[in-house]
Amino acid sequence: MKLSVLASGSKANVTYIETSQHKILIDAGLSAKKTKEALAKIDRDIAEIDAIFITHEHSDHAKGLGVLMRKYHIKAYTNQKTWQSLLTKIGKVDTELCQIFETGELKLFDELQVLSFATSHDAAQPQCYKVKEAEQSAVIVTDTGYVPQKNMANPQ
């Protein structure tokens, strides 16, 4: 598993994760153009991104989401409450690309396991993600005041 933080902070958040079969983003806080440039700096092509997992609807986590979905036909995953907030902000997108991923769910993408878990933040229903492939895993937690210990001790 390869992980690269493309942007982190109050202006933009984007994390790139690559496994043997998948290339994903956690959040899309950069514009689509800047996301493409950031990926190019690590020798990766934006056209190869399989999915985007959104933690919450704030612009520093979702600013580029609409354009990325429209231009590159990338599926995006988050929970229903976050989608409700996002759809008024990201412009018209193909609803087939909007995937519901409720808090506490585990989704399998071939060898890649992605678990969503709740966090504490001033958003509709913020969540973060644990990604796992074989014996390697990473937990991406942003903008949180509190993470229940059960999420960190053994989140699958």
Side-chain angles (χ1 to χ4, degrees):
M1 180 181 300
K2 296 177 184 173
L3 185 143
S4 238
V5 176
L6 304 179
S8 178
S10 60
K11 293 187 179 183
N13 294 274
V14 182
T15 301
Y16 169 80
I17 299 174
E18 181 176 328
T19 65
S20 61
Q21 296 180 4
H22 294 282
K23 296 174 181 172
I24 65 170
L25 298 177
I26 307 291
D27 286 330
L30 291 170
S31 69
K33 179 181 178 181
K34 287 186 178 181
T35 300
K36 182 178 179 177
E37 290 169 357
L39 286 165
K41 286 181 184 177
I42 60 168
D43 296 320
R44 298 299 184 268
D45 185 346
I46 197 165
E48 296 178 347
I49 299 298
D50 300 311
I52 303 169
F53 296 85
I54 299 295
T55 59
H56 63 285
E57 71 275 9
H58 294 165
S59 64
D60 60 321
H61 293 265
K63 179 176 22 181
L65 183 62
V67 175
L68 289 168
M69 291 175 72
R70 284 188 293 277
K71 188 169 184 175
Y72 300 102
H73 306 283
I74 303 171
K75 287 184 179 179
Y77 294 79
T78 196
N79 58 59
Q80 184 66 46
K81 286 183 180 179
T82 300
W83 271 123
Q84 288 172 345
S85 295
L86 280 170
L87 290 175
T88 63
K89 299 175 182 184
I90 64 172
K92 186 176 179 180
V93 294
D94 180 351
T95 56
E96 300 263 333
L97 298 174
C98 302
Q99 301 293 305
I100 302 298
F101 190 178
E102 291 299 346
T103 304
E105 275 190 308
L106 174 68
K107 289 204 180 273
L108 303 175
F109 303 88
D110 303 310
E111 86 303 341
L112 177 64
Q113 297 176 27
V114 182
L115 173 70
S116 64
F117 59 94
T119 62
S120 166
H121 189 49
D122 62 342
Q125 188 177 343
Q127 63 187 24
C128 291
Y129 302 96
K130 177 183 180 181
V131 295
K132 182 178 180 186
E133 177 190 37
E135 297 304 313
Q136 295 184 316
S137 64
V139 178
I140 309 300
V141 179
T142 64
D143 293 17
T144 189
Y146 172 75
V147 177
Q149 189 60 34
K150 69 177 185 165
N151 289 331
M152 300 309 290
N154 189 19
Q156 299 288 343

